[in-house]
Amino acid sequence: MNKLLLTYILTIGICGVAGGGTGIVLKRTVGPVDEHYPPGFDPKEFSPDIESIMEKYNKLSDKTISGVRSFSDSDVINICFEKYRNQEYCWCVASGNANTIVTQTIRNAQIKNGDEYFEEQLSYSSMVDLAKRTLQHGKNGNLDLYEGGCNGPEEAVYPQNPSKAFNKEEYKEYLGKTLDEMFIYIISEKTVLDSSRSSKGDEHIFKFNLNPNLSTFYYKTQMKNISGLSNLPPFSEVKLEFTVDTNLNLKHLLVDETYTATKEGIPVPAKTHNIIDNYYHAGEQMEIPPYNENINYSALLALEEN
């Protein structure tokens, strides 16, 4: 296989954390891709009305899973998102693969520690390694992006100083969401194709098959701008499976998604299938690591399996 094509395929698998999301890192030679959005498209028209959902929820006397029986599946998950976002402390660790011609290993972390926010994305194979960390200073504060490389699936190396600095508006325009937003998919009645809920003891499972175009608007923006794409890459499938507890605390998210990117001058589109497990810890504190300290992903993931 052409080495340029193989390198191109391998570099499309760096995963955005905790709300799912896989950014792709390409050069500006990528050709046009059908965006599937009409002129004047406004993603806010398809976003959930969080204020209205939470107002309805806060009036309930029973705020457990039983109390939201009449709520739509998407409204319940947005309540879980809001509860998680508003914790003083919380963290998430993610692990998975981006499957193309070869397998790219994915590791991610997200930390909220008071009014400081942290995200890391690692993507590694024998041919390509990518590492990014972002720090956000306060809910409305500025963001520092650190860009480095990997010596292995879980060992990153970063410069002492950030590669880029943003205000909140600039970062959202560049990567689709700020760190305090935490989740990048649009999940609402207007983006859900079908859904289901089931329970097993204290675990409650919500499965979603999302409109792959509408639900990924911000996600595609992240891909396009971080990679210098000419257009937004199309998704063919987005399936999410959430596990929450009886008190609507988010515990786990399984992401199963497929998208395609096309590079100018290379006739073979790169189809990528991502399988990512995200594990959430609401109300638990984790220190934000300094630039020269790695997260012990193996230890954290081992705890999830026990």
Side-chain angles (χ1 to χ4, degrees), residues 97-288:
N97 296 314
N99 300 299
T100 56
I101 298 300
V102 299
T103 298
Q104 196 86 356
T105 301
I106 303 297
R107 296 289 185 272
N108 294 328
Q110 176 193 78
I111 301 170
K112 179 187 178 186
N113 196 340
D115 62 354
E116 292 290 305
Y117 298 83
F118 167 95
E119 285 188 359
E120 177 172 71
Q121 304 120 354
L122 306 182
S123 183
Y124 179 82
S125 74
S126 59
M127 292 195 65
V128 175
D129 62 277
L130 301 164
K132 293 182 182 293
R133 280 185 176 182
T134 305
L135 294 173
Q136 180 175 332
H137 311 288
K139 188 171 183 179
N140 295 308
N142 294 331
L143 299 99
D144 294 323
L145 173 65
Y146 294 78
E147 299 175 298
C150 296
N151 291 330
E154 300 179 358
E155 184 181 351
V157 179
Y158 295 99
Q160 183 173 359
N161 298 314
S163 306
K164 298 175 184 176
F166 303 85
N167 62 38
K168 192 171 182 178
E169 292 73 22
E170 292 169 339
Y171 192 85
K172 185 175 177 65
E173 182 177 351
Y174 183 57
L175 287 180
K177 71 171 182 64
T178 53
L179 271 58
D180 60 292
E181 292 178 281
M182 297 185 179
F183 305 95
I184 202 164
Y185 295 102
I186 301 174
I187 303 177
S188 71
E189 292 298 283
K190 296 180 180 179
T191 67
V192 174
L193 298 178
D194 56 76
S195 65
S196 66
R197 70 173 80 178
S198 60
S199 297
K200 185 177 180 181
D202 292 333
E203 290 190 341
H204 307 277
I205 312 300
F206 291 78
K207 295 182 179 181
F208 295 91
N209 178 23
L210 299 182
N211 182 305
N213 189 42
L214 296 176
S215 67
T216 57
F217 178 85
Y218 295 111
Y219 193 177
K220 291 177 185 177
T221 299
Q222 180 185 88
M223 291 182 169
K224 177 181 177 181
N225 291 332
I226 201 172
S227 310
L229 300 179
S230 299
N231 296 88
L232 305 176
F235 280 71
S236 57
E237 187 174 63
V238 176
K239 293 186 176 182
L240 307 179
E241 180 180 311
F242 295 91
T243 302
V244 307
D245 68 14
T246 300
N247 293 314
L248 301 182
N249 293 308
L250 188 59
K251 308 300 287 187
H252 178 257
L253 164 62
L254 174 63
V255 175
D256 183 347
E257 62 190 9
T258 304
Y259 63 87
T260 302
T262 305
K263 186 177 178 65
E264 185 178 337
I266 298 177
V268 182
K271 186 176 182 179
T272 302
H273 181 203
N274 295 324
I275 303 288
I276 310 291
D277 283 291
N278 297 266
Y279 301 95
Y280 297 90
H281 294 262
E284 297 182 23
Q285 186 172 1
M286 177 183 287
E287 293 301 318
I288 293 174

